[in-house]
Amino acid sequence: MDKINTEAIKEKTKAAMSVAKKHRLIVRSFTCGAIAVIGPDMILLYVLAYVIGVWYLYASVIAYITSVLMSFFLQKFWAFKDSSLEGVHGQFAMFVGVVILDVFLNTSLVFFLVEFLNSWYVLAQVLSASFIGALNFIVYSAIVFRRYKPGDKPRILIAAGIFPPDIGGPAIHTFQFVKEFTKAGIETGVVTYSNVPRDEKFDGSYNIERIQRRFWGWYHLSYLFWLSLHLFNYDIIYAQDVSAAGVPALIAREIANRRFFIRIGGDLLWERVFLAGKTKSSALEFYSKKEYKSYPFFWVHRFVIRRAEKIIVSADILFDIYTKYYGLSADRVVVVPNPVIQNIDTEDRAHECHSGKTILFAGRFVNYKNLDVLIEAFYEVSKNVPDARLLLIGAGPEKSNYEKLIFKLNIADKVEIIDAVSHNQIFSYIKESSLCVGPALTEFNPNFVLECVSAGKPILLSKENGLTIKLPDDFLFDSRSKNELAEKMEKLLRINPQMSSIVGELEEYAPSWDDIIDKHLSIFKS
């Protein structure tokens, strides 16, 4: 029993230390406040008011000024680790302003609590000091003790909508940002929505704050709270989408007075409208027909992105959308292509691919991915290529509909659906496939397709795409034409084309992660 209790205490202590480390700035800051309150504030107040007999309001003013002075020096040199004397005059001037405001606010609060609520004056002082201490933390973090200078490496807080173990390109991309920024010596943190409280595989070495998706509305407020709180320890907030992460990131930025950037890997408005069944248009059709203007989310997105310093997009097609339809100037939007992760260590799998000619898709099972057209086209291919197989990897709301379509076409023995797997496992399937397909109505700059090309695999991609490399016509198709897709799939399965020239072009243009980090630092410094 003693051993069990000891182990439990050790685990709780370890967890508490982990939380304290994650929120070390807050812990140090409030420790400084506690020292100042317990020291000159409480003791001096007691001595002046009770021992000497000074009127409690005069005693409160003297004690509070003394405690704030002590708190300032503790905050500057210990909590915020600001040992530089450069600009100290400006800090002192701001500090004097804070002190003056604090004195009036503290006196008003103590007077109100004692005279109107009949509180004991010592308790009134504790409550007042606690409230003002929280306000001071915001002011000190946002204004007085900001450490970032243009020549420094910025401290970056990433606001993410999804993060591993969530699936999808944005989740993988965000994790790579954390990994590569950290490797470059840049202090980096993440606040993300999550279905799990912690994942040691990803969280063990990085500062990750997970907000669990429980109780709609509440977890959004929780996300905003923790994002704002963490941001006081960083110089830049970098949102990975416009809505789920972008809106709270903008609010947090206003609270903490930090720099604000957004990365956009796709068009969330078009995707959202398409998922709701309110349009059948491709992304470019959706904007060219001016359908976007009737949706409130367009105006919300426009409001958010216009307040970011820079919008970083992964493809020229997105550059065109955000400059033409959202009214951003060309110098505010920067194209940074997705890097291609090559030479990934593939993982052993419990599942093995079927023998034969395998056509592969990996991604989310949502309607704009156009998988029903891919399945119907494969049905036509299977009539002429008996050993053809279709492998679909992923998860999403349309899965049951695809299963019904496969059953209806009587091709269940040739089509297999596998639940989402790790990134390394997907790369294993890519290496064993015969052909990869990106069938979405609009493909912006899909990681899956880039990785297929880097592995030397033939691909078929929608003509409406933002891929940085230019594919020959044989690898492009009209995403609405089942017949064209079927014809080109059958042709590529039969001839098994060599992809060396396209792989060479990809390697020539594709930035490495070092290039991506350097580009971001250049953007942040501009």
Side-chain angles (χ1 to χ4, degrees), residues 64 68 94-109 128 132 135-136 139:
Y64 195 75
V68 171
M94 288 186 284
F95 163 68
V96 170
V98 171
V99 169
I100 293 171
L101 292 174
D102 282 350
V103 169
F104 282 108
L105 182 57
N106 177 72
T107 305
S108 300
L109 285 173
S128 176
I132 295 174
L135 291 180
N136 282 351
V139 174

Side-chain angles (χ1 to χ4, degrees), residues 287-344:
Y287 282 100
S288 64
K289 294 176 182 177
K290 303 189 185 305
E291 294 181 45
Y292 62 93
K293 289 190 174 182
S294 62
Y295 295 98
F297 274 111
F298 166 75
W299 303 102
V300 173
H301 292 179
R302 185 171 178 266
F303 179 85
V304 172
I305 65 176
R306 283 189 163 201
R307 279 149 184 81
E309 287 188 40
K310 298 283 186 181
I311 306 298
I312 299 168
V313 298
S314 61
D316 290 337
I317 191 173
L318 290 169
F319 177 91
D320 294 339
I321 287 174
Y322 287 100
T323 53
K324 185 174 182 180
Y325 300 105
Y326 285 81
L328 293 177
S329 60
D331 63 332
R332 294 273 306 284
V333 186
V334 184
V335 179
V336 181
N338 290 338
V340 178
I341 303 174
Q342 301 180 8
N343 301 319
I344 296 176

Side-chain angles (χ1 to χ4, degrees), residues 265-513:
D267 188 73
L268 187 61
L269 175 63
W270 169 71
E271 293 175 6
R272 189 186 295 244
V273 173
F274 204 105
L275 286 172
K278 296 179 180 179
T279 186
K280 295 297 181 182
S281 300
S282 68
L284 292 185
E285 291 169 346
F286 176 74
Y287 282 100
S288 64
K289 294 176 182 177
K290 303 189 185 305
E291 294 181 45
Y292 62 93
K293 289 190 174 182
S294 62
Y295 295 98
F297 274 111
F298 166 75
W299 303 102
V300 173
H301 292 179
R302 185 171 178 266
F303 179 85
V304 172
I305 65 176
R306 283 189 163 201
R307 279 149 184 81
E309 287 188 40
K310 298 283 186 181
I311 306 298
I312 299 168
V313 298
S314 61
D316 290 337
I317 191 173
L318 290 169
F319 177 91
D320 294 339
I321 287 174
Y322 287 100
T323 53
K324 185 174 182 180
Y325 300 105
Y326 285 81
L328 293 177
S329 60
D331 63 332
R332 294 273 306 284
V333 186
V334 184
V335 179
V336 181
N338 290 338
V340 178
I341 303 174
Q342 301 180 8
N343 301 319
I344 296 176
D345 294 330
T346 55
E347 297 179 358
D348 294 332
R349 304 185 312 276
H351 176 90
E352 293 296 331
C353 289
H354 286 297
S355 59
K357 297 178 178 179
T358 301
I359 300 170
L360 177 65
F361 166 85
R364 289 185 294 161
F365 293 166
V366 290
N367 52 10
Y368 62 81
K369 289 294 185 180
N370 213 26
L371 291 184
D372 51 346
V373 172
L374 172 59
I375 293 168
E376 290 173 354
F378 173 78
Y379 169 71
E380 300 298 330
V381 171
S382 65
K383 296 176 182 177
N384 301 320
V385 186
D387 61 344
R389 297 288 183 271
L390 177 62
L391 179 59
L392 307 175
I393 301 176
E398 294 295 315
K399 180 179 178 180
S400 61
N401 291 332
Y402 298 148
E403 290 174 334
K404 291 175 184 177
L405 179 59
I406 292 166
F407 179 79
K408 177 182 177 181
L409 296 175
N410 195 28
I411 51 175
D413 59 328
K414 296 186 177 184
V415 181
E416 186 170 10
I417 296 178
I418 298 176
D419 288 336
V421 298
S422 73
H423 188 221
N424 286 13
Q425 287 177 313
I426 288 177
F427 211 78
S428 297
Y429 285 113
I430 289 173
K431 288 187 173 182
E432 295 178 6
S433 66
S434 305
L435 171 65
C436 300
V437 182
L441 289 175
T442 305
E443 291 279 10
F444 295 101
N445 197 4
N447 289 316
F448 169 66
V449 171
L450 291 172
E451 288 163 1
C452 290
V453 174
S454 72
K457 297 299 178 180
I459 61 170
L460 274 171
L461 186 65
S462 167
K463 289 179 180 177
E464 188 172 304
N465 70 79
L467 204 65
T468 309
I469 58 173
K470 302 303 179 185
L471 297 175
D473 288 342
D474 287 345
F475 299 108
L476 300 173
F477 69 97
D478 181 349
S479 57
R480 299 188 186 279
S481 175
K482 175 187 70 177
N483 293 334
E484 183 180 1
L485 176 57
E487 290 172 4
K488 291 195 171 183
M489 281 198 298
E490 182 174 339
K491 179 180 178 181
L492 291 175
L493 286 176
R494 291 186 184 281
I495 66 175
N496 189 25
Q498 296 296 312
M499 301 289 290
S500 56
S501 61
I502 297 178
V503 173
E505 185 179 346
L506 176 67
E507 291 175 346
E508 182 178 342
Y509 101 86
S512 66
W513 268 106

Side-chain angles (χ1 to χ4, degrees), residues 229-268:
L229 204 57
H230 279 289
L231 188 54
F232 287 115
N233 200 34
Y234 294 89
D235 307 301
I236 286 172
I237 186 165
Y238 187 24
Q240 298 301 293
D241 65 56
V242 183
S243 184
V247 172
L250 174 59
I251 298 172
R253 172 255 190 165
E254 295 297 330
I255 294 171
N257 189 30
R258 296 304 195 250
R259 303 179 69 203
F260 176 41
F261 298 82
I262 302 178
R263 180 183 182 274
I264 302 175
D267 188 73
L268 187 61

